[in-house]
Amino acid sequence: MPETEPRWREQRSSPVIRRGLLPSGDDARLGANEAPYGPPQPVLDAIMRSAVQGNNYAFDASGPLLGGLERWLGVPSSRILLGAGSNDILERAILALAGPGNEIVYPTPAYPIYASATAAGQAVGVPVANAADGSNDLEALRAAVTPNTSLLILCNPHNPTGGHAPTSAIAELVDGVPPGVVILLDEAYWEFSDEFQEGGQGGRGLLDAHPNLVCSRTFSKFFGLAGLRVGYGLVGSEELAAQLRLRQGPGAVTRVSLAGAEAALECIDIYRERLDELRRERERVAAACTELGLDPLPSQTNFLLMPEPLPQTAERMLEHGVWIRPGATMGCPGQIRVTIGTPAQNDRMLELLAGLVEEAGAPGSGDGEPVAAP
Ligand code: PMP
């Protein structure tokens, strides 16, 4: 197979994906931090309507979505980039700031595209270990910036650990970085954070004072449209936005995807209800895992990272139709990452996990009440 997509090396080499074993239908896909529910009806309707124009390119179709984002977030559309998922935004920004001799600082372990796009751009990667609570080690990241640094990447909330640094701390860091260094703040999981719940703005609130800041966000997580591939970048200045826009051909996001995302912005109330359920389930699943002796890291995302009760836990759960992610594939050996699904999927996952804990004789197994009913 040609080596076209280095960032997915890990996924391709996973026996699960290679053998086409991912669960579907009634099984639980809890391995990719996807939403458990499909698009709401108004989003499906918009997708169907847009499909009629499948014969037309999309270069003139992004206006309504840009307008919707401008109204929702208060950022002028001249400072918004659209991409095929936020992956596309991240990759383009990294490649634009890479180049021989440039240093790119990023947390590790973290979303793998930071390292792979840095390598693809022939820049020098400077990985910085996370803090003990799983969030970015902001002090260490700041200290890693040198006169050769072109780009500093932050992932907040953080994947794969789920940790979240308050925006006030991010602001302090951003203030202390020389203005010639671009800061790329990956906020793919922003809407799952307490700050979002409390009406905060996250990185968006820092943009106007920081022309060198890019906030990368997505329709894949909170809006649950991962299969449509729509992400966006909010940029601190028009100049930087124009520089990053140069790296994309016209119409890279499809008409169908643009229409779905635009309709999703009109369904915020539905998504907020889904978010309420997800946050409740996140607490319930975390408490149940703690009860099992697995102590997940505190999470402000739609997933939990915890120690695995037995080697091959993910593979064993897959045999029972529950797909979770082994930490070894994300730089966290001995851990598992579990996406929060529907209540029924979570029950199923917890039931299997409880069985493995019992088998392992891990701390907590056999104590107290049964953790979850199937
Ligand atoms: N950033 C992080 C931290 C992620 O975990 C992901 C996907 N899981 C992405 C970016 C990219 O997501 P998408 O391309 O679907 O927007």
Side-chain angles (χ1 to χ4, degrees), residues 54-362:
N55 55 319
N56 295 136
Y57 283 116
F59 54 73
D60 56 347
S62 57
L65 176 57
L66 286 170
L69 286 170
E70 185 172 316
R71 281 190 299 282
W72 188 40
L73 299 167
V75 177
S77 57
S78 56
R79 284 170 35 204
I80 303 177
L81 310 171
L82 294 179
S86 60
N87 227 324
D88 187 21
I89 303 287
L90 296 167
E91 185 170 35
R92 259 192 290 150
I94 294 167
L95 289 175
L97 274 302
N102 284 349
E103 292 175 6
I104 298 187
V105 177
Y106 47 80
T108 190
Y111 193 51
I113 196 156
Y114 311 152
S116 60
T118 296
Q122 299 182 341
V124 179
V126 182
V128 173
N130 296 322
D133 70 350
S135 62
N136 302 275
D137 188 334
L138 298 179
E139 241 168 71
L141 286 159
R142 167 72 190 87
V145 171
T146 74
N148 295 328
T149 305
S150 59
L151 179 65
L152 167 63
I153 307 175
L154 306 170
C155 184
N156 197 45
H158 188 272
N159 181 19
T161 61
H164 184 245
T167 304
S168 55
I170 300 287
E172 221 169 278
L173 169 68
V174 172
D175 283 340
V177 170
V181 176
V182 173
I183 298 166
L184 180 56
L185 176 57
D186 179 352
E187 294 190 319
Y189 298 93
W190 157 245
E191 294 90 350
F192 300 111
S193 70
D194 292 345
E195 282 189 31
F196 175 79
Q197 190 77 355
E198 291 153 11
Q201 296 197 83
R204 187 268 162 264
L206 309 177
L207 282 177
D208 297 336
H210 297 284
N212 55 332
L213 180 63
V214 181
C215 292
S216 166
R217 293 193 182 169
T218 184
F219 280 86
S220 299
K221 308 296 181 185
F222 168 68
F223 290 106
L225 296 178
L228 289 195
R229 314 302 303 123
V230 189
Y232 56 99
L234 308 170
V235 188
S237 65
E238 298 207 355
E239 294 68 29
L240 183 55
Q243 186 192 340
L244 298 177
R245 215 173 264 121
L246 283 178
R247 299 208 152 238
Q248 190 186 50
V253 186
T254 71
R255 276 183 180 275
V256 170
S257 301
L258 291 165
E262 184 204 346
L265 288 178
E266 304 293 322
C267 296
I268 291 278
D269 291 348
I270 299 174
Y271 287 112
R272 280 206 173 265
E273 274 173 34
R274 292 181 176 188
L275 178 63
D276 288 345
E277 177 185 279
L278 185 131
R279 289 173 60 91
R280 277 196 306 274
E281 282 294 294
R282 184 176 68 195
E283 296 324 305
R284 182 178 77 87
V285 173
C289 292
T290 303
E291 182 92 355
L292 286 172
L294 297 175
D295 288 343
L297 284 173
S299 170
Q300 299 216 12
T301 60
N302 64 342
F303 59 83
L304 295 167
L305 186 75
M306 66 191 87
E308 61 180 353
L310 282 176
Q312 308 280 305
T313 288
E315 289 75 4
R316 295 180 62 171
M317 289 180 70
L318 189 63
E319 284 165 19
H320 299 276
V322 174
W323 177 48
I324 63 167
R325 187 67 71 92
T329 63
M330 302 173 301
C332 302
Q335 312 269 311
I336 45 174
R337 194 193 65 190
V338 177
T339 305
I340 304 300
T342 63
Q345 290 172 338
N346 298 335
D347 282 347
R348 177 90 190 107
M349 183 276 295
L350 286 169
E351 184 197 26
L352 292 174
L353 212 47
L356 292 176
V357 166
E358 202 173 322
E359 190 179 325

